[in-house]
Amino acid sequence: MPHSIIRAVRQTLSHLWHLVFREPAPEAVLGNIERFLLFGIGMVAVKLVSAVAQILVGRVLGAADYGRLTVVLLLAGYFAVPIVGGWGLAFTRIAAQETEAKARLAALNSLLVVSLILCLLVCGTLFALRDHWGGWLSLDDRLVQWTIATTLLYAGWLLARQIAQAFQAWRTYLAVEMILAVVLVAVVLALVLWGRADLYPVLAAFWAAYALAGLGAAGFVVRAARLGVVLTYIKPIVRHGGFMLLTGLVTLSTYSLDRIILHKRLGPESVGLYQAHFMATFGIVSALLTILLTYLFPLFCRDDNGGWQRSVGRLSLLQYPVTIAISVIVGQFAIWLYGYPLSVPLFACLVLFAAVQFHVQMKAWYLSSKGADAALVALGSQLTFLVLNAMILLFLVGRLGIVSGGVALLAAALGSLLYLVCSERCNR
């Protein structure tokens, strides 16, 4: 990237920071601008293609089948967390602290052992209890089986992302993300041209995308496998990953609970309408948040002196007007592309939720990088989120319909943020 552009961005950020906070921007922020810009530009391109894929699928399937697809993908993401989620984040923390490539590969080897064992346990349990959880979620047998298969492929893709993040191989990370989005768009377009764009063919398109994208980090896996079975890092991965696993499960429960309850109480069409609003608002903000946190998490892990703590707090405040503006402008355009009717109350709640949750996630991820004790605070905030969300949603769903999901998310995010702020003050 030309130095003139980097210099201009650095100076602009420095001036804005001084204007807002009345002091010079931290060098920790300014020093990583070039690499972050390169990574950010690539990720923006990836997320644009991903957004096109989501909107295309939503238009092709219609609200009802889009709602069913949403439930399957949410469940697959939830079930994949015990296989990869917490352990992968713990591995990222270990890899960020190791200086030798061989030690990182050994840590990856230990991660693969843990993930393989958990994969067998999770998938075996899901298959054995398929009648129970499928019936409770109002899914037929075929959809249950497809959900289990989707879980396996999603876990492989998630593992590839985490490996690339841990090694800070940002080109690989971008490739894993871009392959998923491009393959999905290409296959769905092909299905549309062939007149086969129904629920199960579209699910198969997700299978193909996850499988091909998951191969992006195969080089690291092969190099780690050549070391044989390495058990050295299993204990720290399991110890720290256990807390992060609980946080991940609670977080995903919070984000999926609304659509699961809406599916049971109002049917799949309501889920499709709600998902379109969710993706158009928080989905856009979540994409930007993913870009930031993916790049910053390894830096947080190496921040032993707490230099990033004040920067995280200030960035969290600075994002509010930007996040709200982006959510309103892009969100309305996205709903129009979906072709679904706009619910103004739901849209307004989700716009505000996006800004508050951005703040919550920045604080929670910074705490998660500080070890098991600090991760407990992040877990407490997510539990607060989950309990508030469930209580408010169950109380309001019969009265407000899909709008209840937005109200519950906003109230839960505010409660979670209050918990984090109070915890910080108590620990000072």
Side-chain angles (χ1 to χ4, degrees):
M1 181 175 290
H3 291 293
S4 57
I5 296 178
I6 297 170
R7 187 167 56 251
V9 172
R10 184 186 178 101
Q11 290 175 350
T12 302
L13 178 59
S14 181
H15 289 317
L16 287 173
W17 193 282
H18 189 272
L19 180 65
V20 175
F21 298 113
R22 302 298 180 185
E23 65 178 54
E27 189 60 34
V29 175
L30 298 177
N32 290 280
I33 285 180
E34 180 176 4
R35 284 179 295 173
F36 179 73
L37 281 177
L38 292 171
F39 174 72
I41 290 170
M43 283 298 293
V44 167
V46 168
K47 294 305 179 181
L48 284 174
V49 179
S50 298
V52 169
Q54 278 285 338
I55 293 171
L56 177 62
V57 168
R59 286 189 68 93
V60 165
L61 291 181
D65 275 348
Y66 186 50
R68 294 185 182 93
L69 175 71
T70 297
V71 171
V72 170
L73 296 179
L74 285 174
L75 291 174
Y78 186 81
F79 295 148
V81 171
I83 300 174
V84 179
W87 327 119
L89 290 174
F91 160 68
T92 299
R93 186 171 187 271
I94 292 170
Q97 295 173 332
E98 293 288 355
T99 56
E100 296 183 3
K102 188 174 181 179
R104 294 180 180 180
L105 290 173
L108 174 56
N109 189 293
S110 295
L111 171 65
L112 295 175
V113 172
V114 172
S115 294
L116 178 60
I117 294 172
L118 267 296
C119 179
L120 295 174
L121 288 174
V122 170
C123 291
T125 302
L126 289 176
F127 188 78
L129 301 177
R130 63 189 183 281
D131 292 337
H132 299 283
W133 62 267
W136 184 78
L137 294 170
S138 304
L139 302 177
D140 59 46
D141 292 340
R142 187 181 181 189
L143 213 52
V144 165
Q145 293 170 8
W146 281 63
T147 300
I148 296 174
T150 306
T151 298
L152 281 171
L153 294 167
Y154 182 89
W157 171 72
L158 184 59
L159 178 63
R161 286 179 57 194
Q162 290 180 333
I163 291 171
Q165 180 185 14
F167 283 90
Q168 297 185 54
W170 300 122
R171 291 184 180 180
T172 301
Y173 189 96
L174 290 171
V176 170
E177 290 272 14
M178 185 60 82
I179 290 171
L180 173 70
V182 170
V183 170
L184 183 59
V185 170
V187 176
V188 171
L189 284 174
L191 291 172
V192 171
L193 292 175
W194 294 339
R196 297 290 305 276
D198 299 320
L199 175 61
Y200 289 101
V202 170
L203 263 174
F206 276 89
W207 285 9
Y210 286 138
L212 291 173
L215 295 175
F220 293 104
V221 174
V222 171
R223 287 161 58 195
R226 287 174 181 167
L227 299 176
V229 177
V230 179
L231 306 180
T232 309
Y233 293 92
I234 286 182
K235 185 176 180 179
I237 285 175
V238 171
R239 180 177 179 272
H240 187 55
F243 290 114
M244 302 185 85
L245 170 63
L246 288 175
T247 303
L249 287 173
V250 171
T251 301
L252 279 177
S253 296
T254 300
Y255 288 140
S256 58
L257 183 69
D258 47 6
R259 277 148 289 186
I260 298 299
I261 291 177
L262 291 174
H263 183 263
K264 287 181 65 66
R265 297 287 291 272
L266 303 177
E269 185 172 354
S270 294
V271 177
L273 293 173
Y274 180 86
Q275 176 71 357
H277 284 75
F278 185 87
M279 292 302 299
T281 50
F282 183 68
I284 301 298
V285 172
S286 178
L288 298 175
L289 188 59
T290 298
I291 295 172
L292 276 174
L293 293 177
T294 298
Y295 186 82
L296 292 177
F297 187 69
L299 301 179
F300 290 168
C301 292
R302 294 197 295 268
D303 182 37
D304 296 327
N305 297 322
W308 273 95
Q309 186 171 8
R310 294 180 67 190
S311 299
V312 167
R314 289 165 177 171
L315 286 171
S316 298
L317 294 176
L318 190 62
Q319 59 83 28
Y320 272 92
V322 178
T323 299
I324 291 173
I326 291 174
S327 298
V328 170
I329 297 169
V330 178
Q332 290 188 78
F333 180 64
I335 292 292
W336 177 75
L337 290 176
Y338 268 104
Y340 296 168
L342 174 67
S343 170
V344 175
L346 176 60
F347 184 83
C349 287
L350 290 176
V351 165
L352 295 175
F353 164 71
V356 176
Q357 189 62 4
F358 193 117
H359 193 168
V360 171
Q361 288 299 305
M362 286 289 287
K363 280 184 172 291
W365 276 73
Y366 182 79
L367 287 172
S368 296
S369 71
K370 299 297 104 182
D373 293 338
L376 281 174
V377 177
L379 176 59
S381 74
Q382 295 300 330
L383 286 171
T384 302
F385 197 144
L386 177 60
V387 171
L388 287 175
N389 188 33
M391 291 174 59
I392 296 171
L393 183 58
L394 288 171
F395 179 75
L396 293 178
V397 65
R399 298 171 173 82
L400 300 180
I402 62 174
V403 177
S404 61
V407 174
L409 284 177
L410 177 57
L414 290 170
S416 180
L417 181 59
L418 180 62
Y419 177 93
L420 288 173
V421 171
C422 291
S423 297
E424 278 186 335
R425 290 180 178 175
C426 290
N427 291 330
R428 286 177 181 174

